[in-house]
Every structure is written in structure tokens, then in C-alpha cells.
Amino acid sequence: MSEKGVNIDEKLLKRLQELSHLKLEKDEQETLKNDINKILHYIEKLKEVDIKDVDKQITTVENKLELREDEPVHFDNRDRIIDLFPVSENHYLKVPKIY
């Protein structure tokens, strides 16, 4: 779909599935491939926009955000939540490793 730049083909989609540990059905693969190609095509169109005379902005927020001090707050149901969690150790919640 993308005239220039990256285009998602079967080989690249298969590699993305492996990296993301996804198993997609054939129709899901086709839908995902089309969606990603539409996004990439749109990005290519955005690259064509002339922005040389546009002032750079760091943020669109005009007001400066006020920082607050962190204050510990006692939570009454801490032990109950830990009890409900699938795996815990020494009052810490254990979660699967993120690749």
C-alpha cells in the first residue's frame, strides 16, 4: 500500500508476530497487515507536509504544571490485595518477566 518507505509483507508480519509473541489467525494477519500499512502510508503523507516556517513547540500546554510533594498514604486493604494476587513473595507482588 505504501508507495515508498516500509511496507508490511508476509515475512515482516511473521517476524513481528514472533517478536511480540502473538499468534494470529490468517484473517487477523491480513487485517493487521492492512491496518499497519494504512498507518505507514499516512506517516509518509505527513512527511510531505512543509513545516519549515512553523515554529517549533516543545509542548502544547501553555500553563506550567505545578509539582506536588509525594506523600505516603496508608492503605487499609494492602494484605487483602496481596492475598488475592496469584503470586506474591514477602509482601511483594510477583509478575511475569517482560521480554
Side-chain angles (χ1 to χ4, degrees):
M1 177 175 288
S2 187
E3 294 89 36
K4 55 187 172 178
V6 177
N7 193 31
I8 302 297
D9 59 9
E10 302 297 325
K11 183 178 176 184
L12 182 53
L13 184 62
K14 183 178 178 185
R15 181 67 180 136
L16 291 173
Q17 286 183 88
E18 291 169 359
L19 291 171
S20 62
H21 298 277
L22 290 176
K23 297 212 184 299
L24 301 173
E25 299 296 328
K26 192 69 175 164
D27 60 324
E28 293 174 316
Q29 291 175 18
E30 196 61 35
T31 300
L32 181 60
K33 184 174 77 169
N34 289 335
D35 289 347
I36 293 173
N37 280 325
K38 286 178 186 176
I39 292 168
L40 293 173
H41 180 71
Y42 184 71
I43 291 171
E44 289 300 322
K45 283 195 169 288
L46 288 176
K47 288 180 181 179
E48 296 171 8
V49 176
D50 182 12
I51 59 169
K52 70 176 180 233
D53 294 327
V54 177
D55 290 337
K56 292 182 181 178
Q57 291 183 336
I58 295 174
T59 179
T60 58
V61 178
E62 293 182 15
N63 299 331
K64 184 171 181 156
L65 298 175
E66 296 293 326
L67 297 178
R68 62 171 171 74
E69 291 294 322
D70 286 336
E71 296 178 17
V73 177
H74 179 71
F75 186 71
D76 293 329
N77 292 329
R78 180 177 176 266
D79 291 333
R80 177 77 175 126
I81 290 174
I82 292 172
D83 290 341
L84 292 172
F85 204 76
V87 182
S88 65
E89 184 177 300
N90 298 324
H91 297 288
Y92 291 100
L93 305 177
K94 292 184 82 170
V95 295
K97 179 181 176 181
I98 298 174
Y99 299 95

